[in-house]
Amino acid sequence: MDMSRRTVIAGAAAAGLTAATIGTAHASGGRKPEKELFGKLADGTKVHRWSLENGGTRLKVLSYGGIVQSLEIPDRHGRYKNVALGFDNIDDYVASSPYFGALIGRYGNRIGKGQFTLDGKSYQLSVNDGANSLHGGAKGFDKHVWDVEGFTSGSDVGLVLHYTSIDGEMGYPGTLRAKVIYTLTGHGDWRIDYEATTDKATVVNLTSHVYWNLAGEGSGSIYDHELEIAAARFTPVDSGLIPTGELAGVAGTPFDFRRTKTVGRDIRVAHQQLLYGKGIDHNWVLDKGITAKPRHVATLRDPSSGRTLSIATTEPGLQFYSGNFLDGTLVGTGGHIYRQGDALCLETQHFPDSPNHPSFPSTVLRPGQTYRTSTVHSFGG
């Protein structure tokens, strides 16, 4: 892995990013995205829900936070279930959501003490996770209403989402113009393409925070799900879940998913890293490194339903979070209470706290450059 490479690609250099066609193809049959009113914020701002269907995948997205409210796929018998945790009303998303299905920015994951230095200048960010800044601060991209437009293109259907983050928002320098494209392909893949530009040097790390349960949201624990991650190393953390800077081998640890194993097999092993995270909440250093096109990095399977999720990405890292802080206080779309381990997240991204670790792949974006990353989710049953 070339640790010096960056995801930032200037101008036309990223033109080679094309849709991946991994995974099981379903019957095609996309239709024009449909828009409906989902609710209103306290200030009267309308929140809309967009519905997409293509290739056997059904997706519902909110303009608030770019949230994936539901994603339905069939099992081995063709029976559909929503496999993404969420709420059935906007008030719960505003009041108590642990980032269910949201677009995350400006910086996915944690920045230690909410501080970093860039070009000799120090910046203090919004602190919202103990002493640290998490997922962009107290009001990250997940808590704003995005401008959304639907599209159809050949056999694809999708949404284009726009949000402009002003200079100084949550402490970040520069006005950042973000564009995210959600595409459902004729194969039923859900592809995300992220873009951003800035007028001042800044840091950026965008990701998606879907909580997956392939047996169906509200169906119980995902500890029997089978997972494989193409990574021989991970980034150990301190008690605040901030990386120490080490790239540690997974061999002989509970973090070794190079061969398929159940999520719950080693999750209660007496390992200091699991104690810090109250389970798994760590970044894997993907073997492939940064790539120009999405490459396969992880496969998740639910044995009971036969549903599978295959992830390909251009990113160098994958944050695997095992739903440790779901505490039984949230009621989801299906009317069930969410408890610890009822879902997991697989967030493709750069490493946590990268601005404070020069040896990590850079997350710096400068004027004249365009940030571009892509992730493809493919489903089978």
Side-chain angles (χ1 to χ4, degrees):
M1 173 178 175
D2 182 356
M3 301 297 291
S4 66
R5 291 192 59 193
R6 303 183 181 189
T7 300
V8 174
I9 306 173
L17 293 182
T18 58
T21 56
I22 61 176
T24 303
H26 301 293
S28 61
R31 64 187 186 192
K32 185 178 179 181
E34 298 177 354
K35 175 184 176 182
E36 63 182 327
L37 182 65
F38 184 71
K40 294 182 180 180
L41 302 181
D43 65 0
T45 302
K46 293 180 179 179
V47 174
H48 292 97
R49 178 169 65 183
W50 291 78
S51 297
L52 309 175
E53 183 173 351
N54 202 12
T57 300
R58 302 167 181 169
L59 180 66
K60 293 185 177 181
V61 176
L62 305 183
S63 57
Y64 179 78
I67 288 169
V68 172
Q69 192 227 358
S70 72
L71 193 152
E72 298 180 47
I73 54 174
D75 65 7
R76 62 168 65 90
H77 302 295
R79 296 173 298 202
Y80 277 83
K81 279 193 176 180
N82 172 24
V83 298
L85 271 58
F87 299 118
D88 62 4
N89 65 90
I90 189 60
D91 291 342
D92 283 346
Y93 280 109
V94 172
S96 55
S97 177
Y99 305 100
F100 284 154
L103 282 176
I104 302 297
R106 286 190 194 190
Y107 199 97
N109 221 309
R110 294 172 174 85
I111 294 181
K113 299 181 180 179
Q115 299 174 349
F116 70 93
T117 299
L118 178 60
D119 296 338
K121 184 175 180 179
S122 295
Y123 295 92
Q124 177 62 58
L125 308 175
S126 166
V127 171
N128 62 327
D129 181 55
N132 305 315
S133 183
L134 174 65
H135 295 330
K139 192 174 182 180
F141 287 8
D142 59 296
K143 296 178 178 65
H144 290 273
V145 174
W146 292 59
D147 294 325
V148 185
E149 298 177 358
F151 71 86
T152 59
S153 177
S155 62
D156 297 341
V157 299
L159 304 172
V160 181
L161 302 95
H162 291 272
Y163 175 68
T164 298
S165 174
I166 63 172
D167 184 20
E169 185 173 280
M170 296 294 104
Y172 287 90
T175 294
L176 190 82
R177 300 183 185 279
K179 180 172 81 170
V180 179
I181 303 173
Y182 287 170
T183 303
L184 281 188
T185 73
H187 296 276
D189 297 343
W190 173 42
R191 179 182 174 115
I192 312 176
D193 293 290
Y194 304 88
E195 295 183 12
T197 58
T198 184
D199 61 359
K200 293 181 182 178
T202 191
V203 296
V204 59
N205 186 28
L206 306 182
T207 190
S208 171
H209 209 296
V210 174
Y211 283 68
W212 301 102
N213 186 323
L214 297 184
E217 70 81 32
S219 64
S221 173
I222 45 76
Y223 289 166
D224 62 348
H225 279 36
E226 299 167 347
L227 178 63
E228 182 178 1
I229 303 175
R233 295 176 293 172
F234 77 111
T235 51
V237 296
D238 62 20
S239 60
L241 301 182
I242 300 299
T244 63
E246 179 187 6
L247 305 182
V250 300
T253 78
F255 301 92
D256 192 350
F257 284 88
R258 290 175 296 174
R259 293 187 178 181
T260 302
K261 69 177 183 182
T262 61
V263 170
R265 193 186 84 178
D266 299 323
I267 205 166
R268 299 192 186 279
V269 170
H271 191 286
Q272 185 61 61
Q273 288 296 305
L274 294 179
L275 291 171
Y276 284 152
K278 295 182 173 59
I280 298 171
D281 192 3
H282 294 75
N283 169 69
W284 267 251
V285 180
L286 297 173
D287 292 340
K288 72 171 189 65
I290 296 170
T291 49
K293 296 181 180 181
R295 288 176 54 185
H296 176 261
V297 295
T299 300
L300 182 68
R301 179 177 181 270
D302 169 41
S304 65
S305 66
R307 293 187 184 93
T308 61
L309 164 63
S310 181
I311 296 178
T313 188
T314 59
E315 290 278 53
L318 180 74
Q319 183 80 10
F320 169 23
Y321 167 59
S322 57
N324 316 323
F325 299 104
L326 297 174
D327 59 4
T329 62
L330 305 177
V331 179
T333 50
H336 298 284
I337 292 173
Y338 295 150
R339 298 189 181 278
Q340 185 181 49
D342 279 358
L344 60 82
C345 302
L346 297 168
E347 306 157 61
T348 56
Q349 57 189 322
H350 271 53
F351 304 168
D353 202 34
S354 288
N356 294 311
H357 296 277
S359 63
F360 288 0
S362 176
T363 55
V364 175
L365 179 69
R366 299 185 180 279
Q369 297 177 322
T370 299
Y371 168 98
R372 287 187 174 97
T373 75
S374 300
T375 295
V376 181
H377 307 80
S378 298
F379 307 101

